[in-house]
Amino acid sequence: MNKWMTPAVEPAGNYIAVFRCCFESAAETLFFKYSADCRAQLYLDGKRISDGPERGAAEYWYYQQVSVDLALGKHVLTARVFCLEPDIKKRLCAYAQMSVRHGLFIEDDSGLLKKWQVQIEEGCIFSIPFPDWGTFPRVRVTESHNHTILQGEGGVWQDVAFFDDVRELHAPDLPLMRYDEIFPEQKTPELFYFKEYVCAWQEIRFSGQGRVEIRWAETPYHSPEVDPLSFKGDKRNRDGKFIVAEPDIFDVDGEYFWFDFWWHAGHYVEIKVSGDVRYDIRFFRTGYPYQEFSPRNLLEKMAFETLQNCSFETYMDCPYYEQIMYVGDSRLEALCTYLLTDDHRLPAKALKMLSLSQRPDGSLNAQYPSCSHQTIPSFMLIWLLMLSDYQHIHGDDELVRQLRPRAIKLLGYFEKELSNGLLDISGWNFIDWCSEWKSGVPSGSGPNSPMNFLYLMVLQYLDRMELLPGLKEKAAALGDKIKETFYDSKRQLYALDPDKKFFSEHSQALALLTLGDTSVIPGLRNQELTPCSIYFSYYYLEACSLFGLDDLFEKRLDKWRALSGEGLTTFPEEFSNPRSDCHAWSSHILRFFFGRKKS
């Protein structure tokens, strides 16, 4: 149990609390551990020295360590703690940022950090973000803001209160994220442009009197209208004129320095000024510190840039809209990571974090860490494939041994969902974003073949890692049942549904990968099938690669080539009319480039 600090009177709703400790020392090194809920930025004498702790889950919270050299004399350490209610109904929280109880933890063996005080950072009004609905809320900084609060000055400082917190604090799993200064082009007096897609912190110095509004965007739209449900608009060749985003607003009356409490993502920054305001803005790129990578062509460059911008303290589906670690995206990101580097700390953490969402019945959340509770059965199966991928590389290391019982429990969940030998699970049976399907669910009624093929693949993978006895026999029985139920002998294709009314590429690709059934190849080449979107094209391309279908491989690769001519530097969520211009699962093309390089 640890002692945490909090304001004696905690405000309702979202707020920022700044804790300060004034101390004096001879020249030495200050070393301490800290944690915060939700998150903190630390400043020594007004200069940023740390941000954290590393993003974790309610069941697995991290601490961070700081070591900084001190000059002789007086110093002020401040910790700016962001206290957001994890209530997605209010839409004023970051969906991937969890909370147990707000506060600050400090462990200082030097004895320098003794007396702490706190002040609420007044003058910060939060509002709902749009269109990037899953990220941190927008902020309006009013004239009542204490502009010297991060230096530990101004306002009224109160003694802190303490509470006992039972959560165990864990050492960081990952290295520190990047914090590298970058410089955009200034296209107009109001518009900045980064040639590469970036995730970046802002530091801004204001002076004068008036108002500044700052908007970040992936691209300008050709119309100011963006669908409030799909978050899609008219992007065309990413050459529009309208920046569509709710702004951060700064009411300026004098001089002050502002540090963002969270980073932004995209290519464009629009800064509108009214009144007599001057500003100096600096940008610092963040993200997972991957080793240097030298792409051989434009598609490799775009794929790596996509992966890089979707890798932070967790994997993310997209850096602009949600920043949430979904299972389906994460497996593909992890497979790319294994090929790029021997640093596998991020895939290992992803497996662990996702497993922490396991419910008493054995099922997993579709994404985690998260303030929302979402079930996607196919993603649970993908987590089991992801575990097998990791075990194939690392063997039965400590993480695999830790996760084996959770995998067995999840497998038991699917065993209970079998009906007449097939999976037929209620809920959102998402497989892929296909225009012919409703909400990503295959057409037809009853059990669908892609879900059952994925389950078959899981049984085969888990048999190879010797998770349980009897999996080979269960896989063989399921394979027979799939063929009996879904195979159309006349068309030599697997249907999506037992009535054999609907057909797609997904079933044929999975039939090749699981059953090795080459009878589907002529139909895959010559018949009109619902095509895989960008996400499930990984499994399609894997089948093409393994079975030497070079013509189909190149034809699908042409879709990525077409994207490179649409004004993009990263790959989007879908081949056409995407919401996100940078989406994790589209980076999987890297895996096939690397495979070809080795052949």
Side-chain angles (χ1 to χ4, degrees):
M1 189 174 295
N2 295 307
K3 290 285 185 184
W4 284 55
M5 294 180 276
T6 185
V9 179
E10 297 182 51
N14 289 356
Y15 65 95
I16 302 175
V18 178
F19 296 81
R20 79 170 181 183
C21 181
C22 302
F23 64 97
E24 187 170 356
S25 79
E28 57 183 282
T29 298
L30 177 65
F31 177 82
F32 62 94
K33 294 179 181 179
Y34 75 92
S35 190
D37 185 339
C38 297
R39 199 175 177 100
Q41 294 169 334
L42 272 64
Y43 303 85
L44 181 64
D45 303 326
K47 295 183 179 179
R48 180 188 185 276
I49 59 170
S50 186
D51 168 74
E54 180 181 314
R55 176 166 283 173
E59 301 85 355
Y60 199 94
W61 209 266
Y62 292 96
Y63 66 78
Q64 191 56 269
Q65 298 182 126
V66 174
S67 178
V68 59
D69 292 334
L70 295 173
L72 179 67
K74 295 181 178 180
H75 300 279
V76 180
L77 178 68
T78 55
R80 187 189 196 198
V81 179
F82 308 103
C83 304
L84 306 180
E85 292 183 292
D87 185 349
I88 61 174
K89 292 181 180 179
K90 295 182 179 179
R91 299 173 61 195
L92 287 172
C93 66
Y95 277 54
Q97 182 63 59
M98 303 193 77
S99 175
V100 178
R101 180 178 176 182
H102 298 148
L104 173 70
F105 167 76
I106 298 285
E107 182 182 287
D108 167 41
D109 293 333
S110 70
L112 293 173
L113 306 178
K114 294 179 179 178
K115 182 172 176 57
W116 286 87
Q117 296 176 302
V118 65
Q119 181 179 155
I120 303 302
E121 189 170 347
E122 302 286 0
C124 293
I125 302 171
F126 298 102
S127 60
I128 295 171
F130 181 86
D132 48 330
W133 56 269
T135 62
F136 278 79
R138 295 289 191 270
V139 66
R140 178 178 175 184
V141 182
T142 69
E143 294 176 359
S144 65
H145 181 261
N146 174 10
H147 299 327
T148 59
I149 194 169
L150 299 183
Q151 289 81 35
E153 301 172 357
V156 178
W157 296 88
Q158 305 283 345
D159 289 340
V160 300
F162 291 91
F163 66 91
D164 292 323
D165 194 282
V166 298
R167 75 187 105 175
E168 181 182 355
L169 298 178
H170 300 272
D173 278 326
L174 305 180
L176 294 175
M177 298 298 105
R178 300 169 61 183
Y179 199 80
D180 307 321
E181 188 165 11
I182 50 175
F183 303 92
E185 297 178 2
Q186 189 162 3
K187 285 187 168 287
T188 71
E190 292 185 343
L191 192 64
F192 294 87
Y193 172 70
F194 292 96
K195 289 184 178 180
E196 292 184 340
Y197 193 109
V198 297
C199 301
W201 295 93
Q202 296 175 147
E203 297 181 2
I204 318 168
R205 184 176 295 279
F206 297 105
S207 61
Q209 192 169 35
R211 174 173 289 183
V212 178
E213 297 185 3
I214 302 179
R215 293 174 175 84
W216 275 74
E218 291 188 314
T219 186
Y221 294 83
H222 279 263
S223 162
E225 302 300 322
V226 171
D227 188 292
L229 297 178
S230 69
F231 305 98
K232 294 181 178 182
D234 182 6
K235 294 181 176 181
R236 300 187 205 175
N237 251 28
R238 278 71 183 179
D239 54 358
K241 296 181 179 179
F242 297 96
I243 298 293
V244 181
E246 289 298 311
D248 288 322
I249 300 173
F250 302 89
D251 294 323
V252 181
D253 184 14
E255 184 173 339
Y256 74 95
F257 204 75
W258 173 262
F259 290 88
D260 271 348
F261 57 82
W262 193 247
W263 48 265
H264 300 266
H267 278 288
Y268 291 87
V269 186
E270 181 187 69
I271 304 179
K272 290 187 174 182
V273 176
S274 59
D276 180 25
V277 178
R278 294 168 300 282
Y279 67 86
D280 178 35
I281 187 166
R282 299 173 69 189
F283 301 95
F284 297 84
R285 186 167 199 166
T286 191
Y288 195 85
Y290 284 113
Q291 65 188 42
E292 289 298 320
F293 171 68
S294 299
R296 301 171 302 163
N297 55 56
L298 178 59
L299 296 190
E300 277 192 356
K301 184 178 187 299
M302 293 176 69
F304 178 69
E305 192 175 312
T306 304
L307 175 67
Q308 185 175 60
N309 283 289
C310 295
S311 302
F312 186 62
E313 293 170 355
T314 64
Y315 287 126
M316 300 179 291
D317 66 325
C318 52
Y320 187 78
Y321 287 91
E322 298 180 51
Q323 302 176 6
I324 301 175
M325 183 161 65
Y326 283 84
V327 183
D329 304 74
S330 295
R331 185 195 179 208
L332 304 185
E333 289 178 279
L335 288 171
C336 291
T337 302
Y338 296 144
L339 288 169
L340 284 170
T341 176
D342 292 330
D343 176 6
H344 298 168
R345 287 174 287 183
L346 189 52
K349 180 183 176 182
L351 275 167
K352 178 171 63 180
M353 288 291 117
L354 292 164
S355 79
L356 293 174
S357 71
Q358 191 162 51
R359 306 179 181 96
D361 66 358
S363 63
L364 298 180
N365 223 39
Q367 23 88 355
Y368 209 68
S370 176
C371 299
S372 67
H373 300 280
Q374 182 187 58
T375 300
I376 301 178
S378 68
F379 280 15
M380 296 185 227
L381 293 169
I382 297 294
W383 182 84
L384 291 166
L385 296 179
M386 190 176 172
L387 176 61
S388 178
D389 298 335
Y390 180 90
Q391 191 268 349
H392 180 70
I393 296 170
H394 293 275
D396 279 347
D397 67 359
E398 182 181 351
L399 177 64
V400 173
R401 291 193 296 273
Q402 175 188 338
L403 296 182
R404 274 180 174 271
R406 298 177 192 178
I408 292 170
K409 190 174 181 180
L410 177 54
L411 202 58
Y413 167 82
F414 283 108
E415 289 264 358
K416 295 175 184 176
E417 295 293 330
L418 289 171
S419 176
N420 296 319
L422 293 171
L423 279 181
D424 190 10
I425 302 179
S426 60
W428 187 21
N429 283 291
F430 172 85
I431 293 293
D432 192 17
W433 290 124
C434 299
S435 59
E436 298 175 27
W437 299 352
K438 185 177 180 180
S439 300
V441 179
S443 303
S445 58
N448 71 68
S449 61
M451 186 75 72
N452 280 277
F453 273 124
L454 285 173
Y455 183 41
L456 174 57
M457 186 181 290
V458 163
L459 293 176
Q460 292 170 339
Y461 274 49
L462 298 188
D463 175 61
R464 289 197 288 268
M465 68 178 287
E466 298 180 342
L467 184 73
L468 286 171
L471 293 180
K472 181 178 291 186
E473 292 74 18
K474 289 181 179 180
L478 178 59
D480 290 342
K481 189 68 177 178
I482 289 172
K483 189 153 190 174
E484 172 192 328
T485 306
F486 298 104
Y487 189 67
D488 185 323
S489 57
K490 185 176 181 180
R491 297 184 65 178
Q492 291 189 301
L493 291 170
Y494 287 84
L496 291 169
D497 60 316
D499 293 331
K500 301 175 185 175
K501 293 181 178 180
F502 303 98
F503 295 81
S504 78
E505 292 178 343
H506 307 70
S507 303
Q508 321 321 316
L510 292 172
L512 285 167
L513 293 173
T514 56
L515 300 176
D517 190 344
T518 57
S519 71
V520 303
I521 291 176
L524 197 58
R525 280 200 171 106
N526 302 320
Q527 299 196 35
E528 289 296 321
L529 301 171
T530 297
C532 299
S533 186
I534 204 165
Y535 162 52
F536 218 85
S537 285
Y538 168 77
Y539 299 94
Y540 178 91
L541 289 171
E542 187 179 27
C544 290
S545 183
L546 287 174
F547 286 86
L549 308 180
D550 292 345
D551 54 332
L552 296 181
F553 187 99
E554 288 298 323
K555 188 175 180 181
R556 184 53 46 88
L557 197 60
D558 282 342
K559 293 192 174 187
W560 269 267
R561 295 186 179 107
L563 291 171
S564 68
E566 292 185 6
L568 292 159
T569 66
T570 52
F571 288 125
E573 186 172 11
E574 300 173 63
F575 285 124
S576 61
N577 191 31
R579 172 193 60 157
S580 170
D581 277 357
C582 180
H583 210 87
W585 61 32
S586 64
S587 64
H588 66 70
I589 197 69
L590 264 177
R591 181 168 171 84
F592 300 101
F593 286 133
F594 270 75
R596 290 190 158 201
K597 184 161 61 176
K598 291 178 180 178
S599 63

mmCIF file of all heavy atoms in Angstrom, residues 440-471:
data_model
loop_
_atom_site.group_PDB
_atom_site.id
_atom_site.type_symbol
_atom_site.label_atom_id
_atom_site.label_comp_id
_atom_site.label_asym_id
_atom_site.label_seq_id
_atom_site.Cartn_x
_atom_site.Cartn_y
_atom_site.Cartn_z
ATOM 1 N N GLY A 440 -19.647 -4.435 -40.918
ATOM 2 C CA GLY A 440 -18.504 -5.337 -40.940
ATOM 3 C C GLY A 440 -18.832 -6.787 -40.678
ATOM 4 O O GLY A 440 -17.923 -7.611 -40.518
ATOM 5 N N VAL A 441 -20.120 -7.141 -40.657
ATOM 6 C CA VAL A 441 -20.550 -8.513 -40.361
ATOM 7 C C VAL A 441 -20.905 -9.212 -41.680
ATOM 8 O O VAL A 441 -21.667 -8.670 -42.484
ATOM 9 C CB VAL A 441 -21.769 -8.518 -39.423
ATOM 10 C CG1 VAL A 441 -22.226 -9.951 -39.147
ATOM 11 C CG2 VAL A 441 -21.431 -7.805 -38.122
ATOM 12 N N PRO A 442 -20.380 -10.419 -41.925
ATOM 13 C CA PRO A 442 -20.678 -11.126 -43.181
ATOM 14 C C PRO A 442 -22.169 -11.287 -43.424
ATOM 15 O O PRO A 442 -22.958 -11.485 -42.492
ATOM 16 C CB PRO A 442 -19.985 -12.480 -42.986
ATOM 17 C CG PRO A 442 -18.876 -12.201 -42.038
ATOM 18 C CD PRO A 442 -19.407 -11.152 -41.098
ATOM 19 N N SER A 443 -22.549 -11.209 -44.694
ATOM 20 C CA SER A 443 -23.954 -11.354 -45.079
ATOM 21 C C SER A 443 -24.454 -12.778 -44.803
ATOM 22 O O SER A 443 -23.681 -13.738 -44.787
ATOM 23 C CB SER A 443 -24.115 -11.051 -46.569
ATOM 24 O OG SER A 443 -23.647 -9.754 -46.867
ATOM 25 N N GLY A 444 -25.767 -12.887 -44.606
ATOM 26 C CA GLY A 444 -26.377 -14.192 -44.375
ATOM 27 C C GLY A 444 -26.752 -14.402 -42.922
ATOM 28 O O GLY A 444 -26.354 -13.638 -42.039
ATOM 29 N N SER A 445 -27.503 -15.438 -42.674
ATOM 30 C CA SER A 445 -27.931 -15.763 -41.314
ATOM 31 C C SER A 445 -27.262 -17.050 -40.853
ATOM 32 O O SER A 445 -26.766 -17.836 -41.655
ATOM 33 C CB SER A 445 -29.456 -15.905 -41.262
ATOM 34 O OG SER A 445 -29.885 -16.909 -42.159
ATOM 35 N N GLY A 446 -27.270 -17.226 -39.531
ATOM 36 C CA GLY A 446 -26.647 -18.411 -38.961
ATOM 37 C C GLY A 446 -25.151 -18.235 -38.796
ATOM 38 O O GLY A 446 -24.613 -17.132 -38.959
ATOM 39 N N PRO A 447 -24.435 -19.316 -38.493
ATOM 40 C CA PRO A 447 -22.983 -19.210 -38.327
ATOM 41 C C PRO A 447 -22.329 -18.772 -39.632
ATOM 42 O O PRO A 447 -22.819 -19.098 -40.722
ATOM 43 C CB PRO A 447 -22.560 -20.621 -37.925
ATOM 44 C CG PRO A 447 -23.652 -21.505 -38.432
ATOM 45 C CD PRO A 447 -24.915 -20.694 -38.340
ATOM 46 N N ASN A 448 -21.241 -18.002 -39.526
ATOM 47 C CA ASN A 448 -20.550 -17.587 -40.754
ATOM 48 C C ASN A 448 -19.212 -18.308 -40.872
ATOM 49 O O ASN A 448 -18.590 -18.669 -39.874
ATOM 50 C CB ASN A 448 -20.399 -16.067 -40.826
ATOM 51 C CG ASN A 448 -19.399 -15.505 -39.835
ATOM 52 O OD1 ASN A 448 -18.195 -15.727 -39.943
ATOM 53 N ND2 ASN A 448 -19.908 -14.762 -38.853
ATOM 54 N N SER A 449 -18.780 -18.504 -42.105
ATOM 55 C CA SER A 449 -17.569 -19.301 -42.323
ATOM 56 C C SER A 449 -16.283 -18.579 -41.900
ATOM 57 O O SER A 449 -15.383 -19.234 -41.349
ATOM 58 C CB SER A 449 -17.473 -19.754 -43.777
ATOM 59 O OG SER A 449 -17.401 -18.661 -44.659
ATOM 60 N N PRO A 450 -16.124 -17.250 -42.104
ATOM 61 C CA PRO A 450 -14.868 -16.633 -41.663
ATOM 62 C C PRO A 450 -14.606 -16.814 -40.171
ATOM 63 O O PRO A 450 -13.469 -17.091 -39.768
ATOM 64 C CB PRO A 450 -15.055 -15.159 -42.028
ATOM 65 C CG PRO A 450 -15.981 -15.174 -43.191
ATOM 66 C CD PRO A 450 -16.931 -16.286 -42.896
ATOM 67 N N MET A 451 -15.666 -16.693 -39.352
ATOM 68 C CA MET A 451 -15.477 -16.882 -37.913
ATOM 69 C C MET A 451 -15.026 -18.308 -37.610
ATOM 70 O O MET A 451 -14.138 -18.542 -36.779
ATOM 71 C CB MET A 451 -16.782 -16.579 -37.178
ATOM 72 C CG MET A 451 -16.652 -16.613 -35.667
ATOM 73 S SD MET A 451 -15.809 -15.161 -35.019
ATOM 74 C CE MET A 451 -17.076 -13.932 -35.258
ATOM 75 N N ASN A 452 -15.599 -19.259 -38.282
ATOM 76 C CA ASN A 452 -15.254 -20.657 -38.026
ATOM 77 C C ASN A 452 -13.884 -21.008 -38.587
ATOM 78 O O ASN A 452 -13.149 -21.803 -37.999
ATOM 79 C CB ASN A 452 -16.343 -21.575 -38.573
ATOM 80 C CG ASN A 452 -17.531 -21.653 -37.638
ATOM 81 O OD1 ASN A 452 -17.531 -22.417 -36.682
ATOM 82 N ND2 ASN A 452 -18.543 -20.816 -37.891
ATOM 83 N N PHE A 453 -13.521 -20.410 -39.715
ATOM 84 C CA PHE A 453 -12.157 -20.602 -40.227
ATOM 85 C C PHE A 453 -11.125 -20.023 -39.248
ATOM 86 O O PHE A 453 -10.063 -20.620 -39.035
ATOM 87 C CB PHE A 453 -12.008 -19.947 -41.595
ATOM 88 C CG PHE A 453 -12.402 -20.823 -42.742
ATOM 89 C CD1 PHE A 453 -13.373 -20.415 -43.654
ATOM 90 C CD2 PHE A 453 -11.799 -22.064 -42.940
ATOM 91 C CE1 PHE A 453 -13.724 -21.216 -44.733
ATOM 92 C CE2 PHE A 453 -12.140 -22.879 -44.017
ATOM 93 C CZ PHE A 453 -13.113 -22.451 -44.913
ATOM 94 N N LEU A 454 -11.424 -18.845 -38.679
ATOM 95 C CA LEU A 454 -10.498 -18.268 -37.698
ATOM 96 C C LEU A 454 -10.379 -19.173 -36.472
ATOM 97 O O LEU A 454 -9.288 -19.352 -35.916
ATOM 98 C CB LEU A 454 -10.964 -16.871 -37.280
ATOM 99 C CG LEU A 454 -10.743 -15.746 -38.296
ATOM 100 C CD1 LEU A 454 -11.400 -14.450 -37.808
ATOM 101 C CD2 LEU A 454 -9.253 -15.505 -38.536
ATOM 102 N N TYR A 455 -11.495 -19.749 -36.044
ATOM 103 C CA TYR A 455 -11.453 -20.670 -34.912
ATOM 104 C C TYR A 455 -10.621 -21.898 -35.263
ATOM 105 O O TYR A 455 -9.823 -22.390 -34.446
ATOM 106 C CB TYR A 455 -12.881 -21.065 -34.538
ATOM 107 C CG TYR A 455 -13.000 -21.964 -33.322
ATOM 108 C CD1 TYR A 455 -12.212 -21.758 -32.187
ATOM 109 C CD2 TYR A 455 -13.915 -23.012 -33.302
ATOM 110 C CE1 TYR A 455 -12.331 -22.579 -31.075
ATOM 111 C CE2 TYR A 455 -14.052 -23.833 -32.193
ATOM 112 C CZ TYR A 455 -13.249 -23.609 -31.088
ATOM 113 O OH TYR A 455 -13.368 -24.426 -29.984
ATOM 114 N N LEU A 456 -10.772 -22.390 -36.491
ATOM 115 C CA LEU A 456 -9.961 -23.528 -36.945
ATOM 116 C C LEU A 456 -8.478 -23.155 -36.936
ATOM 117 O O LEU A 456 -7.634 -23.949 -36.479
ATOM 118 C CB LEU A 456 -10.392 -23.941 -38.350
ATOM 119 C CG LEU A 456 -9.553 -25.023 -39.045
ATOM 120 C CD1 LEU A 456 -9.489 -26.298 -38.220
ATOM 121 C CD2 LEU A 456 -10.114 -25.300 -40.441
ATOM 122 N N MET A 457 -8.149 -21.967 -37.411
ATOM 123 C CA MET A 457 -6.757 -21.521 -37.413
ATOM 124 C C MET A 457 -6.214 -21.463 -35.989
ATOM 125 O O MET A 457 -5.072 -21.868 -35.716
ATOM 126 C CB MET A 457 -6.655 -20.145 -38.076
ATOM 127 C CG MET A 457 -5.230 -19.641 -38.268
ATOM 128 S SD MET A 457 -5.165 -17.997 -39.037
ATOM 129 C CE MET A 457 -5.716 -18.396 -40.696
ATOM 130 N N VAL A 458 -7.034 -20.988 -35.058
ATOM 131 C CA VAL A 458 -6.631 -20.931 -33.649
ATOM 132 C C VAL A 458 -6.321 -22.328 -33.114
ATOM 133 O O VAL A 458 -5.299 -22.554 -32.453
ATOM 134 C CB VAL A 458 -7.726 -20.246 -32.802
ATOM 135 C CG1 VAL A 458 -7.544 -20.545 -31.318
ATOM 136 C CG2 VAL A 458 -7.719 -18.742 -33.052
ATOM 137 N N LEU A 459 -7.197 -23.285 -33.368
ATOM 138 C CA LEU A 459 -6.964 -24.654 -32.890
ATOM 139 C C LEU A 459 -5.665 -25.216 -33.461
ATOM 140 O O LEU A 459 -4.898 -25.881 -32.750
ATOM 141 C CB LEU A 459 -8.142 -25.547 -33.278
ATOM 142 C CG LEU A 459 -9.482 -25.235 -32.605
ATOM 143 C CD1 LEU A 459 -10.576 -26.144 -33.155
ATOM 144 C CD2 LEU A 459 -9.398 -25.368 -31.089
ATOM 145 N N GLN A 460 -5.395 -24.924 -34.723
ATOM 146 C CA GLN A 460 -4.164 -25.404 -35.346
ATOM 147 C C GLN A 460 -2.938 -24.743 -34.728
ATOM 148 O O GLN A 460 -1.937 -25.403 -34.431
ATOM 149 C CB GLN A 460 -4.218 -25.141 -36.857
ATOM 150 C CG GLN A 460 -5.263 -25.980 -37.585
ATOM 151 C CD GLN A 460 -5.470 -25.536 -39.029
ATOM 152 O OE1 GLN A 460 -5.149 -24.401 -39.395
ATOM 153 N NE2 GLN A 460 -6.025 -26.412 -39.847
ATOM 154 N N TYR A 461 -2.987 -23.431 -34.531
ATOM 155 C CA TYR A 461 -1.858 -22.705 -33.933
ATOM 156 C C TYR A 461 -1.612 -23.150 -32.491
ATOM 157 O O TYR A 461 -0.459 -23.352 -32.075
ATOM 158 C CB TYR A 461 -2.133 -21.201 -33.958
ATOM 159 C CG TYR A 461 -1.743 -20.487 -35.232
ATOM 160 C CD1 TYR A 461 -2.132 -20.979 -36.486
ATOM 161 C CD2 TYR A 461 -1.011 -19.309 -35.198
ATOM 162 C CE1 TYR A 461 -1.800 -20.322 -37.649
ATOM 163 C CE2 TYR A 461 -0.671 -18.635 -36.357
ATOM 164 C CZ TYR A 461 -1.066 -19.147 -37.580
ATOM 165 O OH TYR A 461 -0.727 -18.490 -38.732
ATOM 166 N N LEU A 462 -2.694 -23.300 -31.724
ATOM 167 C CA LEU A 462 -2.531 -23.665 -30.316
ATOM 168 C C LEU A 462 -2.091 -25.115 -30.155
ATOM 169 O O LEU A 462 -1.447 -25.470 -29.162
ATOM 170 C CB LEU A 462 -3.825 -23.400 -29.548
ATOM 171 C CG LEU A 462 -4.283 -21.937 -29.501
ATOM 172 C CD1 LEU A 462 -5.469 -21.778 -28.560
ATOM 173 C CD2 LEU A 462 -3.155 -20.992 -29.094
ATOM 174 N N ASP A 463 -2.445 -25.950 -31.118
ATOM 175 C CA ASP A 463 -1.935 -27.324 -31.104
ATOM 176 C C ASP A 463 -0.411 -27.313 -31.275
ATOM 177 O O ASP A 463 0.297 -28.069 -30.598
ATOM 178 C CB ASP A 463 -2.599 -28.146 -32.206
ATOM 179 C CG ASP A 463 -2.015 -29.550 -32.299
ATOM 180 O OD1 ASP A 463 -2.115 -30.302 -31.312
ATOM 181 O OD2 ASP A 463 -1.430 -29.876 -33.354
ATOM 182 N N ARG A 464 0.088 -26.442 -32.168
ATOM 183 C CA ARG A 464 1.534 -26.359 -32.387
ATOM 184 C C ARG A 464 2.271 -25.847 -31.146
ATOM 185 O O ARG A 464 3.423 -26.220 -30.923
ATOM 186 C CB ARG A 464 1.834 -25.462 -33.604
ATOM 187 C CG ARG A 464 1.442 -26.100 -34.929
ATOM 188 C CD ARG A 464 2.103 -25.416 -36.108
ATOM 189 N NE ARG A 464 1.549 -24.112 -36.386
ATOM 190 C CZ ARG A 464 0.554 -23.891 -37.247
ATOM 191 N NH1 ARG A 464 0.003 -24.900 -37.892
ATOM 192 N NH2 ARG A 464 0.129 -22.669 -37.476
ATOM 193 N N MET A 465 1.594 -25.024 -30.361
ATOM 194 C CA MET A 465 2.257 -24.576 -29.127
ATOM 195 C C MET A 465 1.901 -25.464 -27.927
ATOM 196 O O MET A 465 2.232 -25.147 -26.785
ATOM 197 C CB MET A 465 1.955 -23.095 -28.837
ATOM 198 C CG MET A 465 0.533 -22.747 -28.471
ATOM 199 S SD MET A 465 0.324 -20.956 -28.099
ATOM 200 C CE MET A 465 1.125 -20.821 -26.498
ATOM 201 N N GLU A 466 1.212 -26.567 -28.228
ATOM 202 C CA GLU A 466 0.900 -27.591 -27.220
ATOM 203 C C GLU A 466 0.186 -26.989 -26.014
ATOM 204 O O GLU A 466 0.526 -27.248 -24.859
ATOM 205 C CB GLU A 466 2.183 -28.320 -26.778
ATOM 206 C CG GLU A 466 2.872 -29.053 -27.927
ATOM 207 C CD GLU A 466 4.149 -29.763 -27.485
ATOM 208 O OE1 GLU A 466 4.684 -29.422 -26.415
ATOM 209 O OE2 GLU A 466 4.601 -30.668 -28.215
ATOM 210 N N LEU A 467 -0.845 -26.202 -26.312
ATOM 211 C CA LEU A 467 -1.587 -25.569 -25.223
ATOM 212 C C LEU A 467 -2.391 -26.603 -24.436
ATOM 213 O O LEU A 467 -2.396 -26.585 -23.209
ATOM 214 C CB LEU A 467 -2.517 -24.487 -25.785
ATOM 215 C CG LEU A 467 -3.271 -23.690 -24.724
ATOM 216 C CD1 LEU A 467 -2.335 -22.728 -24.012
ATOM 217 C CD2 LEU A 467 -4.433 -22.912 -25.342
ATOM 218 N N LEU A 468 -3.075 -27.479 -25.164
ATOM 219 C CA LEU A 468 -3.899 -28.515 -24.542
ATOM 220 C C LEU A 468 -3.855 -29.775 -25.402
ATOM 221 O O LEU A 468 -3.672 -29.698 -26.617
ATOM 222 C CB LEU A 468 -5.364 -28.044 -24.441
ATOM 223 C CG LEU A 468 -5.719 -26.990 -23.385
ATOM 224 C CD1 LEU A 468 -7.158 -26.518 -23.606
ATOM 225 C CD2 LEU A 468 -5.562 -27.550 -21.982
ATOM 226 N N PRO A 469 -4.053 -30.956 -24.794
ATOM 227 C CA PRO A 469 -4.157 -32.176 -25.615
ATOM 228 C C PRO A 469 -5.484 -32.200 -26.361
ATOM 229 O O PRO A 469 -6.475 -31.608 -25.935
ATOM 230 C CB PRO A 469 -4.081 -33.296 -24.575
ATOM 231 C CG PRO A 469 -4.538 -32.674 -23.298
ATOM 232 C CD PRO A 469 -4.098 -31.244 -23.342
ATOM 233 N N GLY A 470 -5.503 -32.859 -27.492
ATOM 234 C CA GLY A 470 -6.739 -33.071 -28.241
ATOM 235 C C GLY A 470 -7.111 -31.972 -29.213
ATOM 236 O O GLY A 470 -8.151 -32.071 -29.889
ATOM 237 N N LEU A 471 -6.283 -30.929 -29.330
ATOM 238 C CA LEU A 471 -6.630 -29.822 -30.222
ATOM 239 C C LEU A 471 -6.552 -30.236 -31.688
ATOM 240 O O LEU A 471 -7.331 -29.756 -32.516
ATOM 241 C CB LEU A 471 -5.729 -28.615 -29.963
ATOM 242 C CG LEU A 471 -5.901 -27.930 -28.603
ATOM 243 C CD1 LEU A 471 -4.956 -26.744 -28.484
ATOM 244 C CD2 LEU A 471 -7.344 -27.461 -28.412
#
